[in-house]
Amino acid sequence: MKDKSYLTNIEYINDIFEQYLSDSSVIDSSWRYFFDGFTLNSDNESLTLENVPKEELEDIYNEFKVLNLIDDYRKRGHLFTETNPVRKRRHYSPTLDIENYGLQKEHLTKKFKAASEIGLPVSTLDTIINHLKQTYCRSIGVEYMYIRTPDIIRWFKQKMEPIKNEPQLTITDKKRIYSDLVRATFFEQFLHKKFIGQKRFSLEGVDAIIPTLNFAADYASDKGVEEIVLGMSHRGRLTVLANFIEKPIDELFQEYVGKSYDDESILGDVKYHLGFNNIRVSNNGKKLFVSLLPNPSHLETVAPVALGFAKARINKKHQRNFDKLLPIVIHGDAAIAAQGIVYETAQMSQLEGYGVGGTIHIVLNNQVGFTTNYTEGRSSTYSTDVAKITQSPVFHVNADDPEALVYVTQLAIEFRQTFHRDVYIDILGYRKYGHNEGDEPRFTQPTLYKAIEQHPNVRQLYYEKLVQEFPSIANELKTIEQNYSSKLQQAYDNALQMPIVKVKHFLHEEWEKYRHATQTDFELNINTSVNEDLLRKLAIQLNTLPQDKTFFSKTIKILNERIQLINNNKVDWALAEQLAFATLLNEQHAVRISGQDSERGTFSHRHSALVVEDTDEKYYPLKNISSTQAPFYVYNSLLSEYGVLGFEYGYSLASPNDLTIWEAQFGDFHNVGQVIIDQYLSSAKDKWSLMSGLTLFLPHGYEGQGPEHSSARIERFLILAANDNMILANLTTPANLFHLLRRQVKAPFR
């Protein structure tokens, strides 16, 4: 328990009281609320704490003890919640027992003015504690008091405490929740019966994610969202595809029973890795475009890819308006706690080049990773403790309370739309089977799985709750079950009649004018030429600085040398790149380049952002070509390869008509992001029929800097190059660079 010795220090309290009398705005709100009540009951204008009778002074001390109790419920209440459906919570000390605050049982019936701190009138301590328990210690635990922005702290208090974190749902809402739970549980059970022995990575145990997502979509639409981008790994993915993305169920079943693909170029992948786009209609009648990104088996790899995709859509489709697109990333508890890519992605969240206006992170917390207990899988208290590095709030919610989940998700969306910050929702549930349906979990977690075996699923629990609350709707709920069962059987019968699996290409409308490369394309002569007069004009314009700004003398020298080059009919590497970018921008192709030190360039060659002398202002020549040019983006990335390369790959998926570049500080360093190269760049074409125009800059050379700066590990790319999946180019002249960059955009294939 933190030190509270100041409660008996009359001088300390009197100093704060004098500050209150002088200017109440400078002291903490908890003291201010108390002193408001203290002075309200006194007509003595010269009142000080030193002349207060002993009995009243004791009351003052007790008021502060109650204020500290309230403060600790806000800070530590999440440690004492009822959020775990199948396990007892770990013991945390000290508890929130009143004795730890110098209060006794006789105080429970005593009334305290401190109740005003949580929006209550003068109330008994018992009433205050019940209010706090309902708000912070039931099915919902909240971590937010570490956030350093007072407005956010105040916002959460005002949203949660007046209603005690109790969902405000109509009977129609509750029937919708039940319908979603039926769809989630019946879909999983149908797969289990019809496709015996096949892996599906069941959602069972966290089934309530389906009403959570569906209510989230409707609420987001009400808040002005027009698009949702979703990234998730395999757990529960099929159910999400069927019951949130609304992929036709017969097509999902077809992937189990089909014999071949209608696109012969696809080698295929397991069905729980596939992506999908769709338009769903929200309750308010508005259309909502939803995308689920394809993902490999590498857990969490899809997170930066999804956010890069979202960033591109925000820039291109929504005029950089964060409020129009909502990114959601669904994690597993073991993965979010241990995968380094999670930290890299989190650190992007507030950076200009990578921020997407806040992401809703949802953790499907099974309390186990494959066979590893959660106590063996992390050192942190929670799997979501990474949220604290960006001061993001965290909700911990019992997976057996779908109403609480719906409420929390709506609150999370409102927070995101208000503050454009990340928010995390930790759904405490379980995994009904092993890591997959053929795995035996009792080898390693016998006691846990004994509890799970005896535990009714959330649909059954919610059915009993609704029938008890509304006895007259029992038959209606049974009808919902029967109708969905019939729908599943009909979809299965349809799938049996369709032996050829249909492939709906991801983001088809954006990519319809492009195609996969063929062998002859690598010999194709693509026109990448530009009128010489235009090149000269652009070169001089880009390297002539505005007269009303002062620049570093060495910067001026570099730009003057470029003008001399063009006047002498020559170009160097930097000028060739600059002209390639400029001509593409002039032809309405956006250019984005990001990497470590990309603005200046690792080798001090690019100078795309020129700092105005003695200021922090930057001038970007490539952003000042004309009023009608396409956007130019250049960013110094955080010190990350894996996360940033994944982000830029995702960005390229939504930008087929643009030039998207990831630049390694040294080419050899790409091996830190090897997962993206292996699982996406080299193989996404064969697995998912996915196209990308991402360009990698991998500078290297034998210049005495040792083996880790010398080769760009070209042999790795040579091994991965197959089936016309990539272009590898070791350039020898600036002209090569100019034409190759333009060819990357002008080619009809990707």
Side-chain angles (χ1 to χ4, degrees):
M1 182 63 61
K2 61 187 177 183
D3 181 26
K4 296 184 175 65
S5 59
Y6 66 85
L7 292 177
T8 58
N9 187 335
I10 189 65
E11 292 82 8
Y12 175 78
I13 297 176
N14 205 52
D15 285 345
I16 296 177
F17 184 56
E18 289 177 0
Q19 291 180 49
Y20 165 83
L21 294 175
S22 174
D23 181 3
S24 64
S25 66
V26 301
I27 66 172
D28 184 82
S29 61
S30 59
W31 293 91
R32 186 165 62 251
Y33 290 146
F34 168 72
F35 287 133
D36 284 346
F38 178 64
T39 56
L40 189 64
N41 291 326
S42 175
D43 297 325
N44 187 350
E45 294 183 0
S46 61
L47 180 66
T48 68
L49 295 180
E50 291 173 334
N51 56 27
V52 175
K54 182 178 179 181
E55 295 78 9
E56 291 185 28
L57 194 58
E58 183 65 28
D59 289 342
I60 292 172
Y61 292 156
N62 287 335
E63 291 282 359
F64 281 110
K65 292 172 184 177
V66 175
L67 286 172
N68 275 285
L69 177 65
I70 292 170
D71 188 54
D72 268 10
Y73 263 94
R74 289 167 172 164
K75 291 177 178 176
R76 302 180 66 247
H78 58 87
L79 297 172
F80 307 99
T81 55
E82 300 169 0
T83 50
N84 199 320
V86 291
R87 274 178 167 154
K88 289 185 178 180
R89 291 217 55 172
R90 286 183 283 183
H91 178 73
Y92 295 96
S93 182
T95 66
L96 296 173
D97 293 340
I98 59 174
E99 290 78 10
N100 290 324
Y101 298 84
L103 297 163
Q104 305 301 324
K105 288 184 179 179
E106 56 265 26
H107 292 117
L108 290 172
T109 55
K110 181 177 173 56
K111 291 187 175 182
F112 290 90
K113 299 182 181 69
S116 64
E117 172 67 10
I118 54 174
L120 296 177
V122 176
S123 303
T124 64
L125 179 58
D126 193 47
T127 299
I128 293 170
I129 290 173
N130 285 335
H131 190 98
L132 290 168
K133 283 183 176 179
Q134 185 66 39
T135 304
Y136 293 111
C137 298
R138 298 301 186 204
S139 291
I140 300 169
V142 194
E143 294 183 90
Y144 70 101
M145 290 294 285
Y146 48 77
I147 297 172
R148 298 180 193 135
T149 307
D151 285 348
I152 292 178
I153 299 290
R154 191 177 306 113
W155 188 89
F156 273 114
K157 290 177 183 177
Q158 292 172 351
K159 289 290 180 180
M160 298 187 299
E161 291 177 349
I163 62 170
K164 297 182 287 187
N165 268 339
E166 289 184 350
Q168 312 294 307
L169 299 171
T170 66
I171 186 172
T172 301
D173 293 330
K174 294 179 180 184
K175 286 190 284 189
R176 278 189 62 210
I177 290 174
Y178 185 73
S179 177
D180 283 343
L181 291 174
V182 167
R183 291 159 65 192
T185 55
F186 280 34
F187 180 81
E188 291 285 0
Q189 291 167 2
F190 192 88
L191 291 179
H192 197 65
K193 293 175 185 175
K194 294 294 185 180
F195 307 109
I196 297 171
Q198 293 211 43
K199 294 179 183 179
R200 70 180 191 277
F201 294 96
S202 166
L203 184 68
E204 290 166 277
V206 281
D207 317 62
I209 186 63
I210 297 303
T212 297
L213 289 173
N214 283 324
F215 272 79
D218 287 341
Y219 189 74
S221 180
D222 289 339
K223 292 291 181 180
V225 171
E226 297 174 359
E227 180 172 357
I228 290 177
V229 171
L230 179 62
M232 68 179 297
S233 57
H234 48 270
R235 175 77 54 203
R237 188 181 184 91
L238 296 179
T239 312
V240 169
L241 277 166
N243 295 309
F244 173 63
I245 305 293
E246 298 179 355
K247 181 175 181 177
I249 296 174
D250 53 2
E251 292 183 18
L252 277 166
F253 291 163
Q254 193 185 14
E255 290 163 8
Y256 278 98
V257 302
K259 306 299 182 184
S260 61
Y261 292 100
D262 63 353
D263 184 342
E264 294 181 357
S265 68
I266 296 178
L267 295 178
D269 195 2
V270 288
K271 53 199 71 66
Y272 40 80
H273 285 176
L274 305 180
F276 201 76
N277 308 106
N278 203 10
I279 296 174
R280 50 176 286 161
V281 179
S282 300
N283 263 10
N284 59 17
K286 295 180 181 178
K287 292 181 178 179
L288 192 66
F289 186 69
V290 290
S291 298
L292 175 63
L293 273 290
N295 73 288
S297 289
H298 292 61
L299 303 177
E300 301 296 337
T301 294
V302 74
V305 176
L307 298 184
F309 180 85
K311 182 72 169 182
R313 299 285 293 180
I314 289 167
N315 284 349
K316 295 177 67 64
K317 296 294 180 183
H318 303 293
Q319 294 73 51
R320 306 181 200 177
N321 185 348
F322 292 141
D323 292 340
K324 297 296 183 181
L325 185 147
L326 177 67
I328 300 175
V329 178
I330 299 178
H331 310 263
D333 55 308
I336 193 175
Q339 294 283 299
I341 188 64
V342 176
Y343 185 90
E344 294 182 36
T345 305
Q347 286 288 16
M348 294 182 192
S349 65
Q350 294 297 308
L351 301 180
E352 179 189 350
Y354 310 92
V356 291
T359 300
I360 307 293
H361 296 271
I362 300 176
V363 180
L364 303 183
N365 194 334
N366 305 137
Q367 307 183 60
V368 63
F370 209 142
T371 66
T372 304
N373 284 319
Y374 72 97
T375 52
E376 301 168 311
R378 64 178 186 265
S379 297
S380 59
T381 301
Y382 295 113
S383 64
T384 51
D385 279 349
V386 69
K388 295 178 176 64
I389 64 171
T390 52
Q391 298 179 56
S392 301
V394 182
F395 295 93
H396 306 280
V397 191
N398 191 318
D400 280 351
D401 192 342
E403 292 184 8
L405 271 168
V406 165
Y407 159 75
V408 159
T409 305
Q410 291 176 340
L411 184 60
I413 290 171
E414 187 176 357
F415 169 81
R416 186 267 180 185
Q417 294 295 88
T418 303
F419 296 102
H420 294 138
R421 301 274 290 269
D422 284 10
V423 55
Y424 291 71
I425 302 171
D426 178 21
I427 305 178
L428 269 292
Y430 55 92
R431 188 187 66 194
K432 183 174 181 180
Y433 302 102
H435 178 65
N436 60 65
E437 289 65 41
D439 192 49
E440 176 52 78
R442 290 171 182 81
F443 285 134
T444 50
Q445 280 83 28
T447 55
L448 173 62
Y449 273 84
K450 184 176 181 180
I452 290 172
E453 186 178 9
Q454 298 170 353
H455 189 76
N457 67 41
V458 63
R459 183 203 62 79
Q460 294 169 306
L461 293 171
Y462 197 57
Y463 175 85
E464 292 169 4
K465 179 181 184 298
L466 288 186
V467 170
Q468 185 176 9
E469 191 175 353
F470 309 105
S472 63
I473 68 170
N475 289 336
E476 186 178 352
L477 300 183
K478 289 297 181 184
T479 300
I480 290 172
E481 297 172 15
Q482 293 163 5
N483 289 344
Y484 191 68
S485 293
S486 298
K487 181 178 180 179
L488 290 172
Q489 185 60 48
Q490 183 62 55
Y492 178 73
D493 293 341
N494 292 343
L496 293 177
Q497 306 304 314
M498 300 183 292
I500 298 177
V501 178
K502 295 179 181 178
V503 176
K504 181 180 178 181
H505 294 280
F506 186 77
L507 213 64
H508 170 72
E509 293 76 11
E510 297 288 328
W511 288 89
E512 61 182 351
K513 70 176 184 178
Y514 300 97
R515 56 177 173 78
H516 290 297
T518 63
Q519 195 163 6
T520 57
D521 286 329
F522 292 86
E523 302 170 4
L524 188 65
N525 184 16
I526 297 170
N527 183 10
T528 56
S529 63
V530 178
N531 178 273
E532 183 177 341
D533 291 339
L534 177 60
L535 282 176
R536 290 181 182 278
K537 176 186 174 184
L538 287 171
I540 293 171
Q541 177 186 344
L542 291 167
N543 294 289
T544 301
L545 295 170
Q547 296 297 311
D548 60 340
K549 300 180 188 296
T550 304
F551 295 90
F552 183 40
S553 59
K554 288 187 177 180
T555 300
I556 297 171
K557 181 175 180 292
I558 289 169
L559 300 192
N560 286 339
E561 287 172 352
R562 289 182 184 174
I563 292 176
Q564 289 175 11
L565 279 172
I566 201 72
N567 287 337
N568 292 329
N569 294 321
K570 294 180 180 180
V571 293
D572 62 6
W573 293 96
L575 184 54
E577 179 194 87
Q578 187 185 47
L579 289 173
F581 291 167
T583 54
L584 289 172
L585 294 168
N586 207 42
E587 295 163 7
Q588 294 305 304
H589 300 286
V591 175
R592 175 184 169 95
I593 177 170
S594 96
Q596 293 156 29
D597 314 298
S598 285
E599 287 190 351
R600 192 202 73 174
T602 301
F603 308 102
S604 197
H605 66 291
R606 181 170 295 122
H607 295 284
S608 61
L610 308 176
V611 179
V612 177
E613 196 164 38
D614 298 326
T615 74
D616 293 324
E617 180 188 352
K618 293 180 181 179
Y619 173 74
Y620 298 85
L622 285 164
K623 293 184 180 182
N624 289 277
I625 298 171
S626 73
S627 60
T628 59
Q629 71 171 89
F632 173 69
Y633 306 102
V634 58
Y635 298 106
N636 292 331
S637 76
L638 63 162
L639 197 63
S640 154
E641 287 82 24
Y642 187 178
V644 177
L645 178 53
F647 189 96
E648 299 306 334
Y649 177 80
Y651 197 98
S652 74
L653 292 180
S655 308
N657 193 46
D658 301 330
L659 180 62
T660 305
I661 301 169
W662 175 73
E663 180 176 50
Q665 189 180 60
F666 283 88
D668 303 56
F669 299 172
H670 76 75
N671 64 346
V672 186
Q674 192 70 43
V675 171
I676 301 297
I677 295 167
D678 290 347
Q679 306 305 321
Y680 283 103
L681 279 174
S682 66
S683 59
K685 171 192 171 185
D686 287 341
K687 291 189 295 187
W688 310 314
S689 191
L690 212 58
M691 289 184 278
S692 165
L694 182 64
T695 298
L696 272 59
F697 279 0
L698 305 174
H700 63 281
Y702 289 101
E703 298 173 342
Q705 298 196 62
E708 294 175 2
H709 301 76
S710 300
S711 72
R713 308 182 195 275
I714 192 70
E715 69 282 354
R716 296 192 178 190
F717 291 94
L718 291 171
I719 291 170
L720 292 170
N723 293 337
D724 312 312
N725 63 343
M726 63 177 72
I727 297 171
L728 306 180
N730 193 29
L731 309 179
T732 55
T733 70
N736 288 162
L737 178 61
F738 174 85
H739 290 287
L740 194 64
L741 289 174
R742 288 182 52 78
R743 187 179 192 272
Q744 183 76 349
V745 177
K746 296 298 183 180
F749 57 86
R750 294 289 184 268

